[in-house]
Amino acid sequence: MGGDAWSHTGPYQRDLAAAFQQAQEEELMRDNYGFEGRSVEELWRDPEWHQYIFTGGTGTVLDFPCMIHATDTDDGPFMRPLTDGEVRAWAPHGEPTYEEWEAALEAEQFYPGRAQGNCTVLYRDGRPAQIGYWGVTAD
């Protein structure tokens, strides 16, 4: 069985890893997926969480324990920012808007492989406004 594709946005921060952690914390506050009272770090130390993620997952930023460098080619489960070249492939000016990102998401080849996620800064009026996250569940 293949994974399910998902996408959502989170608040912008200059430090993408910090923004990712904030997005994870906010998602966990919205829904703890039956793992009450645990932090993201505690979840990723729990074998039951691993089982949950690798047999379906949340379809959110919680499916990844950490963010890796944009040029890292390790397989998931990791969140990886796009490189400048990857962004310019669908947003030639290098500052994608939400609308451009949304249009790119409609192209199935834009999604990473199973148990992987990507993110990029989205711009409004030429300024960083939010971060787009998207990925594919493990199963």
Side-chain angles (χ1 to χ4, degrees):
M1 172 178 240
D4 293 322
W6 59 269
S7 65
H8 67 90
T9 60
Y12 171 75
Q13 287 188 44
R14 183 180 190 101
D15 180 339
L16 292 182
F20 171 65
Q21 290 172 340
Q22 179 184 352
Q24 287 182 306
E25 291 167 8
E26 289 174 0
E27 179 60 30
L28 191 57
M29 286 176 28
R30 271 191 294 279
D31 190 342
N32 64 35
Y33 299 91
F35 291 82
E36 183 75 35
R38 301 197 199 151
S39 69
V40 174
E41 295 80 21
E42 290 170 326
L43 288 173
W44 278 102
R45 289 192 300 261
D46 185 342
E48 289 182 25
W49 179 255
H50 293 199
Q51 179 71 16
Y52 183 78
I53 294 301
F54 296 123
T55 58
T58 66
T60 72
V61 292
L62 290 175
D63 289 354
F64 310 100
C66 63
M67 179 178 286
I68 59 176
H69 190 271
T71 59
D72 197 333
T73 58
D74 287 344
D75 287 336
F78 299 114
M79 177 61 64
R80 185 183 68 79
L82 294 184
T83 64
D84 185 59
E86 289 172 320
V87 169
R88 288 180 183 278
W90 54 277
H93 49 81
E95 295 183 350
T97 64
Y98 177 87
E99 293 76 19
E100 289 171 315
W101 175 67
E102 196 171 54
L105 287 173
E106 292 180 16
E108 289 184 24
Q109 68 269 23
F110 191 64
Y111 281 90
R114 285 176 44 192
Q116 296 178 11
N118 289 127
C119 65
T120 197
V121 175
L122 303 176
Y123 294 77
R124 185 177 313 116
D125 299 324
R127 301 180 90 119
Q130 57 192 161
I131 298 177
Y133 298 97
W134 67 102
V136 178
T137 59
D139 194 29

